[in-house]
Amino acid sequence: MEEKELLDQIAEKEWKMFRVVNGDKHTDCQEDESTFKAMRKAQFSAWSKEACESYLQDLEEAEAQGRNLIREKYIRMMESTQPEGYQAFCGELPQLTPEQEALTAELWQHFKAQTERMREKYPALALGGRPLMDSEETNGWASIETYQTGELKTYSERTLRALLAHMEALEKEGVDLAFQIQKNSVTCMGYQTMEQAEQEKIQKVKNKFIGKRSLFAQ
């Protein structure tokens, strides 16, 4: 299967799952198909073909079992951000194997180190307003750790192993997967470079701060 077709199939299956995360109740982002698919393709286009093919198989198997991997991701995130709500929905989740737990933990350590490296150069983009660690979460706002591990836990052992192999191969070449995904994402948003996206993000924060100051001055 060609890369474009592979990414299209993954994005389409995820979109169908995303649309029904809360049944018939839709938020604004659940009506924005083009943005959702573009951002998800930005992530998976940085993966190896082996990892993408494995994840597509995960999605196909989930469909056959009546499972919604996107819903499962958000439920897993609730364990950190909304513990009481998590108890109401965790019965829907399949039991993780010890191998899935171990691979998730190992992958997160790679993502954490890579995000920290990226934050040194692109602090505004690296976190996108989110705290890095779940210990830093406030008011139910999910951290990078919670979001990333929540998604990793929806992957099969096969996909986790393929993704880890890809990350380690890239690191040997001096390339960070987290950076590649972020770079693809800003390109999807119309930026020419990471530097351009970083500067615009910083300016938005400054403008917001200036607006607040003017209100206080009145």
Side-chain angles (χ1 to χ4, degrees), residues 16-18 20-21 62 66-73:
K16 289 179 179 178
M17 292 181 179
F18 182 62
V20 296
V21 162
R67 292 171 55 204
N68 184 327
L69 299 188
I70 305 299
R71 179 177 171 83
E72 289 180 11
K73 172 175 70 175

Side-chain angles (χ1 to χ4, degrees), residues 107-115 148 152 167 177-178 181:
L107 278 160
W108 166 241
Q109 289 306 310
H110 283 274
F111 274 116
K112 176 176 177 289
Q114 291 181 11
T115 301
Q148 187 68 70
L152 289 170
M167 288 190 79
L177 180 61
I181 292 171

Side-chain angles (χ1 to χ4, degrees), residues 3-4 6-15 36-56 58-59 69-70 73 111 147-148 151-152 154-155 159 163 166 177 180-182 184-185 188:
E3 180 183 15
K4 182 180 183 304
L6 181 57
L7 296 179
D8 284 345
Q9 286 196 29
I10 289 174
E12 178 62 23
K13 289 183 182 300
E14 282 204 333
W15 171 248
F36 176 87
K37 288 184 175 180
M39 297 307 290
R40 296 305 284 169
K41 288 179 184 179
Q43 172 174 316
F44 297 117
S45 61
W47 286 24
S48 65
K49 185 177 182 181
E50 180 184 0
C52 285
E53 288 175 336
S54 181
Y55 181 55
L56 177 58
D58 291 348
L59 291 166
L69 299 188
I70 305 299
K73 172 175 70 175
F111 274 116
Y147 193 94
Q148 187 68 70
E151 180 161 331
L152 289 170
T154 68
Y155 302 162
T159 298
L163 183 58
H166 180 53
L177 180 61
Q180 292 300 111
I181 292 171
Q182 185 69 67
N184 291 347
S185 297
C188 285

Side-chain angles (χ1 to χ4, degrees), residues 170-211:
L170 288 177
E171 286 180 345
K172 288 180 180 179
E173 298 173 3
V175 177
D176 284 347
L177 180 61
F179 174 83
Q180 292 300 111
I181 292 171
Q182 185 69 67
K183 182 179 178 181
N184 291 347
S185 297
V186 301
T187 299
C188 285
M189 292 185 284
Y191 297 105
Q192 297 298 313
T193 64
M194 288 278 283
E195 287 74 16
Q196 180 189 5
E198 175 74 9
Q199 289 307 308
E200 183 165 321
K201 186 78 172 180
I202 291 172
Q203 189 59 51
K204 286 181 178 179
V205 172
K206 287 181 178 179
N207 291 343
K208 186 175 181 180
F209 178 69
I210 291 171

Side-chain angles (χ1 to χ4, degrees), residues 3 33 45 92 128 135 169 185 189 211 213 216:
E3 180 183 15
E33 180 177 357
S45 61
E92 298 180 28
S135 59
S185 297
M189 292 185 284
R213 285 182 62 188
F216 289 136

